[in-house]
Amino acid sequence: MALLLMLLWGSNYSLLKAVLTQIGPGALVFMRYLITPACAVALLLWRYGLHWPRVERRDWIGLAGLAALGHVAHVNVMMQAMHLSTPFSSALMSALGPMFTLLLVRLLHSQHFSRTQVVGVALALAGVLVFLADKLALMRIQGLGDLLLLLATLLFSAHTVAATRLLSRHGVTVVMAYSTLLAMVPMLVINAPQAMLIPWGSLPAVIWWALLWSLAVASFAGWLAWGWLNDHIGVPRSAPLLYLLPPVAGLISWMTLGEAFSSLKIVGAVMAGIGVAATQYGAVPSSVPSDSPADGRRHRSR
């Protein structure tokens, strides 16, 4: 199931790219915040019936902050970036999330990196520069998209770290569902102008099916499956599988969208992947649960 989930998530990058080409990022985000809040409500009803967990006033402020950081900021930037970039770039930049999360945790807790982790960070950043070299040298629009992808990944890593306290108090289901519901109205308002320009009635059925599959199945149901997997096989076994996402996304993008990869890009991607793995597993602090790549995925509705 874990390998099938990697295939599902890896293919979702190409699927989202195809949908973005048809309707643009604003309209896609608008539809996302019609579909995923409905999924969140269904999940809460299935789990708790009509008696949803109560949250203290101070925690509502924290949930609102998570909605602003993880949804309003991260999702809007991520969709704009994916629209400008490619599926392989999107998967690779997202794979840097564990490294950014670990960096933030270490900075906030004033902890030191091991020598392996320092080398890993340097290698990952060098790999990203190699990966982006051709785009940035020619000032291609995809280069801007990749830089926005880095920003989106950093935003989500900040969201991962900020969510730690609320997750320990209320669990992933409540935090994920409530923050999604809080983000619904601002996300719909922000993206409504672009959504109103789309002739929804004349869209082919395949686009509608792609939207439903990508948002309800790959994103929402995939997140539930990931939580189940972490419980059954454990994070140490499931987390390393996330490093399969860039090659899976790249292969599917090559097969379906004709994305091409230069040898320089492949070298940069391999350097970045090895660097992130070295940073992640060079030393694992036992006191902070947020530094595993699974944390980022467990509360992402990707």
Side-chain angles (χ1 to χ4, degrees), residues 82-132:
M82 290 184 67
H83 185 50
L84 296 175
S85 189
T86 65
F88 184 48
S89 294
S90 300
L92 177 65
M93 298 305 168
S94 296
L96 297 175
M99 184 185 72
F100 287 149
T101 301
L102 188 58
L103 284 169
L104 290 173
V105 168
R106 290 306 183 94
L107 288 173
L108 291 174
H109 291 269
S110 300
Q111 298 179 17
H112 297 289
F113 270 23
S114 69
R115 183 175 301 176
T116 301
Q117 290 176 307
V118 173
V119 172
V121 171
L123 183 61
L125 294 179
V128 170
L129 290 177
V130 171
F131 185 84
L132 297 179

Side-chain angles (χ1 to χ4, degrees), residues 30-158:
F30 185 87
M31 290 303 300
R32 174 173 180 155
Y33 283 87
L34 289 178
I35 294 174
T36 53
C39 293
V41 169
L43 176 63
L44 289 169
L45 290 173
W46 173 73
R47 188 82 178 269
Y48 302 106
L50 296 177
H51 303 287
W52 294 1
R54 300 188 64 178
V55 176
E56 297 178 8
R57 182 177 301 178
R58 61 172 182 167
D59 287 342
W60 278 115
I61 297 175
L63 286 169
L66 292 182
L69 183 61
H71 292 269
V72 178
H74 165 255
V75 173
N76 279 317
V77 173
M78 186 69 178
M79 288 300 106
Q80 292 289 340
M82 290 184 67
H83 185 50
L84 296 175
S85 189
T86 65
F88 184 48
S89 294
S90 300
L92 177 65
M93 298 305 168
S94 296
L96 297 175
M99 184 185 72
F100 287 149
T101 301
L102 188 58
L103 284 169
L104 290 173
V105 168
R106 290 306 183 94
L107 288 173
L108 291 174
H109 291 269
S110 300
Q111 298 179 17
H112 297 289
F113 270 23
S114 69
R115 183 175 301 176
T116 301
Q117 290 176 307
V118 173
V119 172
V121 171
L123 183 61
L125 294 179
V128 170
L129 290 177
V130 171
F131 185 84
L132 297 179
D134 58 339
K135 296 178 181 178
L136 296 179
L138 298 176
M139 297 300 290
R140 294 179 182 174
I141 192 66
Q142 292 94 338
L144 173 60
D146 288 349
L147 292 176
L148 287 176
L149 284 168
L150 283 174
L151 174 60
T153 303
L154 180 59
L155 286 170
F156 189 77
S157 294

Side-chain angles (χ1 to χ4, degrees), residues 192-273:
Q194 294 185 48
M196 293 175 64
L197 300 176
I198 304 299
W200 296 103
S202 60
L203 288 179
V206 66
I207 297 298
W208 286 104
W209 282 113
L211 275 170
L212 288 173
W213 178 267
S214 176
L215 300 178
V217 178
S219 297
F220 201 86
W223 167 82
L224 293 177
W226 184 248
W228 182 87
L229 283 166
N230 286 328
D231 287 338
H232 281 73
I233 69 175
V235 171
R237 289 181 62 193
S238 61
L241 293 171
L242 293 172
Y243 297 113
L244 292 174
L245 283 178
V248 169
L251 179 62
I252 293 176
S253 179
W254 171 71
M255 294 172 59
T256 59
L257 303 179
E259 184 176 353
F261 314 107
S262 65
S263 57
L264 191 66
K265 291 177 71 67
I266 294 175
V267 169
V270 171
M271 290 172 60

